[in-house]
């Protein structure tokens, strides 16, 4: 159900943390900074931190151009560090780290040690159940899923996932914060992939299987979805935008949590990732692009958000 209409926007400026300086992390940081929040972005990768400010500036320029909005001095509100203890004052933390269970588990254990007792731990996970992430802390009531879509500054809606352990106050605060960012929220229950990726990842995998079988090429598959169903874009161009490495990581999580072999990546999808053809960010995937759309320096698999 869409909750944002009933949610009072929280416009209070609170310290915000973002874990992960990849494409999604920079985009989420931009959303909070544009709304006036001071943001600390934490990432152990020096190259990602070094390129973060330029990627943030590019996002701000795009927001001004495409949305005719002036986010003000958003860049000045964002700092970049490798030190997790810099989040010791953060009251709202968004995990935008790779979609890999050991990585996220360690992050949530660290946040549990470092952050204030009242801090909300929101994860931009695309597939890992919220209850699993909450079990990595001593305060599962504070853990919630906030599945921002890519590119986060230009997408109006966030899929918010709640486990049975998620506290009512955590949900209320999260909806208020998102409303303060100008985002609508669709609240769903917990489960592998929630709604969006439980359906989308299987669609992408089956679309890849259709191409692999020779039934249709990638352009034709996408045209069917656009022209017959009225979708804005087809599943394979969507996969290229997400990043095929991210798709493979997400499928692995879904297969682990569901035990369903339908989520095993097709050989074609696995081959494209192994060849470095991971989508728009590399200039090639199921489709070819004139130039990479991202200056994120990290290798395939380093960013993980759908």
């Amino acid at each position: 159900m869409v909750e944002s209409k009933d949610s009072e926007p929280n416009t209070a400026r609170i310290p915000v943390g973002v874990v992960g300086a990849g494409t999604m992390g920079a985009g989420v940081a931009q959303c909070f900074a544009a709304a006036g929040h001071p943001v600390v972005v934490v990432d152990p990768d020096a190259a990602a931190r070094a390129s973060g400010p330029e990627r943030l500036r590019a996002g701000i320029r795009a927001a001004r151009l495409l949305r005719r909005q002036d986010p003000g001095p958003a860049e000045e509100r964002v700092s970049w560090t490798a030190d997790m203890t810099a989040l010791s004052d953060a009251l709202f933390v968004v995990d935008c780290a790779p979609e890999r269970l050991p990585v996220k588990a360690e992050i949530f254990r660290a946040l549990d040690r470092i952050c204030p007792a009242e801090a909300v731990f929101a994860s931009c996970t695309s597939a890992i159940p919220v209850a699993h992430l909450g079990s990595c802390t001593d305060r599962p009531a504070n853990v919630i899923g906030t599945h921002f879509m890519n590119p986060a500054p230009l997408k109006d809606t966030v899929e918010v996932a709640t486990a049975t352990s998620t506290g009512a106050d955590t949900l209320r605060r999260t909806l208020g914060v998102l409303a303060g960012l100008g985002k609508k929220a669709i609240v769903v229950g917990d489960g592998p992939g929630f709604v969006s990726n439980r359906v989308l990842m299987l669609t992408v995998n089956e679309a890849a299987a259709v191409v692999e079988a020779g039934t249709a090429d990638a352009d034709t598959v996408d045209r069917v979805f656009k022209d017959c169903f009225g979708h804005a874009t087809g599943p394979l161009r969507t996969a290229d935008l997400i990043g095929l490495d991210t798709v493979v990581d997400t499928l692995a999580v879904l297969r682990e949590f569901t035990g369903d072999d339908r989520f095993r990546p097709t050989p074609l999808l696995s081959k494209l990732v192994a060849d470095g053809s991971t989508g728009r960010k590399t200039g090639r995937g199921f489709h070819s692009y004139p130039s990479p759309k991202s200056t994120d320096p990290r290798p395939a698999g380093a960013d993980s958000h759908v």
Side-chain angles (χ1 to χ4, degrees), residues 43-273:
D43 197 303
D45 189 294
R49 294 195 310 274
S51 69
E54 177 51 39
R55 286 183 285 116
L56 179 64
R57 286 191 291 269
I60 292 170
R61 288 194 297 269
R64 287 191 177 117
L65 177 65
L66 298 175
R67 293 201 157 186
R68 297 178 175 83
Q69 293 177 344
D70 186 355
E75 184 184 354
E76 298 174 9
R77 301 188 185 107
V78 181
S79 60
W80 311 78
T81 181
D83 186 2
M84 284 285 284
T85 63
L87 302 180
S88 60
D89 295 326
L91 296 178
F92 199 95
V93 181
V94 184
D95 148 50
C96 295
E99 195 73 358
R100 295 169 187 167
L101 287 169
V103 173
K104 288 194 181 291
E106 179 52 37
I107 286 168
F108 276 82
R109 285 192 287 267
L111 294 176
D112 199 28
R113 294 191 302 268
I114 292 166
C115 295
E118 66 273 28
V120 171
F121 298 156
S123 180
C124 197
T125 178
S126 52
I128 300 172
V130 172
H132 181 87
L133 298 175
S135 71
C136 299
T137 76
D138 289 329
R139 36 178 148 167
N142 294 34
V143 180
I144 193 167
T146 51
H147 184 200
F148 287 81
M149 306 295 158
N150 184 29
L154 302 180
K155 297 291 187 177
D156 292 327
T157 305
V158 177
E159 183 183 35
V160 174
T162 60
T164 56
S165 55
T166 302
D169 187 59
T170 297
L171 176 59
R172 179 189 62 78
R173 291 169 61 195
T174 298
L175 295 179
V177 165
L178 291 175
L181 303 183
K183 304 292 188 187
K184 294 178 289 186
I186 300 178
V187 180
V188 302
D190 198 15
F194 316 123
V195 173
S196 58
N197 282 325
R198 181 68 180 260
V199 176
L200 176 61
M201 290 297 111
L202 190 57
T203 302
V204 168
N205 210 31
E206 287 298 312
V210 165
V211 173
E212 192 168 37
T215 307
D217 61 17
D219 279 321
T220 303
V221 170
D222 284 340
R223 280 186 57 206
V224 168
F225 278 80
K226 292 174 64 178
D227 295 352
C228 296
F229 301 143
H231 292 191
T233 188
L236 299 179
R237 284 198 184 275
T238 299
D240 282 348
L241 174 62
I242 292 166
L244 302 188
D245 50 339
T246 297
V247 170
V248 168
D249 282 347
T250 304
L251 284 167
V253 170
L254 287 165
R255 185 164 175 261
E256 178 170 351
F257 277 100
T258 65
D260 191 337
D261 267 351
R262 292 181 302 166
F263 293 109
R264 185 191 297 274
T266 65
L268 174 59
L269 188 52
S270 297
K271 181 178 186 301
L272 287 169
V273 172

Side-chain angles (χ1 to χ4, degrees), residues 252-306:
V253 170
L254 287 165
R255 185 164 175 261
E256 178 170 351
F257 277 100
T258 65
D260 191 337
D261 267 351
R262 292 181 302 166
F263 293 109
R264 185 191 297 274
T266 65
L268 174 59
L269 188 52
S270 297
K271 181 178 186 301
L272 287 169
V273 172
D275 291 345
S277 301
T278 57
R280 291 175 67 95
K281 59 189 172 185
T282 60
R284 64 193 189 280
F286 285 104
H287 301 276
S288 296
Y289 303 90
S291 62
K293 301 298 182 181
S294 169
T295 56
D296 189 342
R298 301 203 283 182
D303 201 21
S304 62
H305 305 288
V306 180

